[in-house]
């Protein structure tokens, strides 16, 4: 679901300024959908042009007027249709996992720094989720509660894995680098020779 459609979803909760819409992305949506002012305001402007939201200017003493957005009946219908037709995909793109996949090519200090940075990120996300619940006015709805607890479960499990397995990864990498190459290892891994199974051979056996 794109930012434009999700902005409609925010406005089903009631009228809001662009800043208040952004707060949803920074708090309630922080663990599953990111967007900044650079994408939110153009999305709201497009929705207004399409008649899916209305915009009202509100005067403020000594400060620029603010724009308040309200969803229209057509906007609610469009969002309801999106809910009915959007596939529940979950895209995963992790530079963290890419880096650790090739940990053998990084220094141990670099691997340790990557692990520490990711652990700090997971703690930050858990803190955001906790603060979001604390700041909620009244009970959290059933759907928001599910997504909040899902975020806690995912980030909590990821943090536990990094804290538990990170030291083991560093120790294993250190042991590998201390071991001298086995006799004949260079010949066995030399791509110019025909000795030993290739990656393709291994994959062929896996499929058989």
């Amino acid at each position: 679901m794109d930012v434009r459609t999700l902005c409609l979803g925010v406005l089903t909760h009631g009228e809001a300024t662009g800043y208040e819409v952004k707060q949803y992305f920074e708090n309630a949506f922080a663990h599953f959908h990111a967007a900044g002012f650079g994408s939110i305001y153009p999305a709201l402007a497009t929705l207004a042009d399409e008649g899916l939201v209305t915009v009202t200017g509100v005067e403020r003493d000594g400060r620029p007027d603010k724009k308040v957005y309200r969803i229209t009946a057509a906007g609610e219908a469009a969002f309801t249709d999106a809910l009915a037709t959007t596939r529940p995909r979950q895209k995963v793109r992790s530079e963290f996992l890419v880096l650790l996949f090739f940990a053998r090519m990084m220094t141990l200090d670099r691997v340790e720094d990557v692990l520490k940075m990711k652990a700090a990120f997971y703690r930050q996300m858990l803190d955001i989720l906790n603060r979001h619940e604390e700041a909620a006015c009244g009970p959290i709805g059933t759907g928001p509660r599910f997504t909040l607890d899902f975020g806690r479960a995912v980030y909590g499990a990821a943090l536990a894995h990094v804290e538990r397995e990170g030291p083991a990864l560093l120790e294993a990498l250190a042991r590998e680098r201390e071991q001298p190459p086995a006799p004949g290892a260079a010949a066995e891994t030399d791509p110019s020779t025909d000795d030993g199974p290739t990656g393709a051979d291994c994959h062929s056996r896996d499929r058989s």
Side-chain angles (χ1 to χ4, degrees):
M1 190 174 289
D2 58 18
V3 173
R4 172 182 167 280
T5 305
L6 201 47
C7 284
L8 282 178
V10 170
L11 294 174
T12 65
H13 288 238
E15 65 180 34
T17 64
Y19 175 80
E20 290 167 338
V21 171
K22 183 173 181 288
Q23 290 300 298
Y24 273 84
F25 285 90
E26 292 182 346
N27 295 287
F29 303 160
H31 60 296
F32 59 84
H33 204 299
F37 270 141
S39 56
I40 291 173
Y41 276 105
L44 290 170
T46 299
L47 292 171
D49 291 341
E50 295 174 351
L52 301 180
V53 305
T54 61
V55 188
T56 304
V58 177
E59 295 183 359
R60 297 185 294 179
D61 293 337
R63 290 188 294 171
D65 295 352
K66 69 177 181 180
K67 294 180 179 180
V68 177
Y69 299 87
R70 298 180 181 86
I71 193 168
T72 64
E76 287 195 12
F79 185 66
T80 299
D81 181 65
L83 291 175
T85 58
T86 299
R87 295 181 61 188
R89 296 173 296 178
Q90 185 168 348
K91 298 179 181 179
V92 177
R93 177 175 175 172
S94 174
E95 303 295 346
F96 168 65
L97 294 180
V98 169
L99 290 171
L100 292 191
F101 188 90
F102 296 101
R104 63 183 174 81
M105 300 182 67
M106 295 191 292
T107 67
L108 293 180
D109 285 344
R110 171 59 174 164
V111 174
E112 185 175 14
D113 285 344
V114 168
L115 290 167
K116 287 180 178 178
M117 284 188 286
K118 200 60 180 178
F121 168 76
Y122 291 143
R123 293 190 192 97
Q124 179 185 24
M125 291 305 301
L126 289 169
D127 182 60
I128 288 173
L129 295 175
N130 290 334
R131 284 190 283 110
H132 171 62
E133 181 173 19
E134 293 169 0
C137 298
I140 296 179
T142 304
R145 164 61 62 188
F146 179 90
T147 61
L148 178 67
D149 289 343
F150 184 90
R152 283 173 170 160
V154 170
Y155 287 119
L159 176 60
H161 183 78
V162 169
E163 291 180 332
R164 182 181 63 250
E165 301 298 333
L169 170 63
L170 289 167
E171 291 176 6
L173 290 171
R175 286 196 302 271
E176 289 174 3
R177 297 174 192 199
E178 290 172 357
Q179 295 175 354
E188 292 176 3
T189 58
D190 187 346
S192 65
T193 69
D194 293 330
D195 297 334
T198 65
D201 293 332
C202 294
H203 292 308
S204 297
R205 286 201 297 271
D206 290 341
R207 288 193 295 268
S208 61

